[in-house]
C-alpha cells in the first residue's frame, strides 16, 4: 500500500525531551507533516484533525500517553482505550504526585517506602485467577498490560519481545504479612519465594474483571493518572492496529570493552 500523507504528532514535553529535536529534523527532511503539542492541546484531537485532512499514516512521537491517544482502539478498560498498561495500587498513586514527572526516582522511593511500611489507602479487591497460579498475600500493585513483560528476553532494553501476542497479561506484586515489621516481612517473603509462594503472580487472558469494596479507585492509564468507577472491565482487540517497520532488520556492528 502506498501512503501519500504521513502526519507526525510530536510531544516536545515527553520524557526528558532528548530525542524530540532529532525526530522533528528527520520528519521535516522527509517533508512529513509535523504537528507539535502545546499547552492545552490533546494528542487525540490533533490526530483526528490530521485524519480528517487526509492523513493516511499517523506517527506518535512522545510518551505512553501520547502514543495511546494517537493509536486509539486497541485494548479497553471500562470502555476507555489504553495502549500500554493500566496500573492499580502503588504506581497508580505515584503518578498522581505533581512532582512525579520531574523527580521520578525520588517520588518512587517515597511512595515505595510509604506502601511498604504503612500503606495509607486500602481496598479489598476480587478477581479470577487461573488454577495453580500462586499469588501474594498482600498486593501492593496490579498491572494489566498489552502483551507480556519479559525483561532479560527481549533485545536491548525492551521489556516486551512481542507486540502481536493478542493477549492481556495480569501481574500482581505483593509483600507477604503486611501487618508485621518490615524485617520480619522480608524474611518471610524470602521463605515464601524458596517454598514456591510467589511475590509476583502473572497470567495471560483476553478479558479480566476486578471488583472492589470502593465505588471508584485511582489508576494509572498509560502513565497518566485517572480515577475509574468499579468494577474494572479489561478486554483486548487483537489486530486493531497495524505496525509499520523497516523491510530489513539487519544485525549491526557494535564495539565492546573487554576486561579481565
Amino acid at each position: 500500500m502506498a501512503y501519500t500523507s504521513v502526519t507526525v504528532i510530536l510531544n516536545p514535553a515527553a520524557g526528558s525531551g532528548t530525542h524530540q529535536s532529532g525526530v522533528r529534523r528527520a520528519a521535516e527532511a522527509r517533508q512529513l507533516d509535523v504537528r507539535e503539542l502545546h499547552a492545552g492541546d490533546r494528542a487525540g484531537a490533533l490526530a483526528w484533525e490530521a485524519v480528517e485532512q487526509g492523513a493516511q499514516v499517523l506517527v506518535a512521537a512522545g510518551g505512553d500517553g501520547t502514543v495511546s491517544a494517537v493509536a486509539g482502539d486497541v485494548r479497553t478498560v471500562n470502555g476507555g482505550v489504553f495502549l500500554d498498561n493500566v496500573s492499580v495500587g502503588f504506581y497508580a498513586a505515584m503518578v498522581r504526585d505533581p512532582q512525579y514527572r520531574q523527580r521520578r526516582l525520588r517520588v518512587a522511593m517515597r511512595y515505595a517506602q510509604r506502601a511498604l511500611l504503612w500503606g495509607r489507602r486500602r481496598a479489598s479487591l476480587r478477581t479470577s485467577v487461573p488454577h495453580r497460579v500462586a499469588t501474594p498475600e498482600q498486593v501492593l500493585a496490579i498491572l494489566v498490560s498489552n502483551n507480556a513483560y519479559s525483561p532479560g528476553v527481549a533485545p536491548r532494553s525492551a521489556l516486551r519481545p512481542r507486540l502481536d501476542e493478542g493477549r492481556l497479561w495480569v501481574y500482581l506484586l505483593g509483600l507477604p504479612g503486611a501487618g508485621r515489621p518490615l524485617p520480619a516481612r522480608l524474611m518471610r517473603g524470602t521463605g515464601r519465594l524458596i517454598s514456591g509462594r510467589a511475590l509476583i503472580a502473572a497470567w495471560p487472558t483476553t478479558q479480566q474483571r476486578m471488583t472492589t469494596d470502593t465505588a471508584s479507585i485511582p489508576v494509572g492509564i498509560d502513565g497518566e493518572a485517572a480515577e475509574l468507577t468499579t468494577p474494572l472491565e479489561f478486554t483486548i482487540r487483537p489486530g486493531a492496529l497495524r505496525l509499520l517497520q523497516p523491510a530489513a532488520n539487519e544485525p549491526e556492528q557494535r564495539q565492546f570493552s573487554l576486561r579481565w
Side-chain angles (χ1 to χ4, degrees), residues 30-31 68 70 74 85 88 93 118 124 131 138 140 149 162 188 191 201 221-223 225-226 230 233 239 252 259:
R30 291 163 176 78
Q31 298 183 334
S68 178
V70 172
V74 205
N85 60 62
V88 182
W118 54 82
S124 176
H131 293 295
Q138 187 82 17
L140 298 178
Y149 283 95
R162 292 185 59 182
R188 190 176 187 215
I221 303 178
D222 291 334
T230 56
E233 304 277 0
E252 59 183 20
R259 299 179 62 180

Side-chain angles (χ1 to χ4, degrees), residues 6 10 24 78 99 101 126 129 156-157 191 203 218 240 253:
V6 179
L10 178 66
R24 186 185 297 104
N78 289 14
Q99 294 184 329
R101 303 296 175 187
R126 294 178 60 86
V129 179
R156 297 187 181 179
S157 59
W203 65 88
Q253 293 290 328

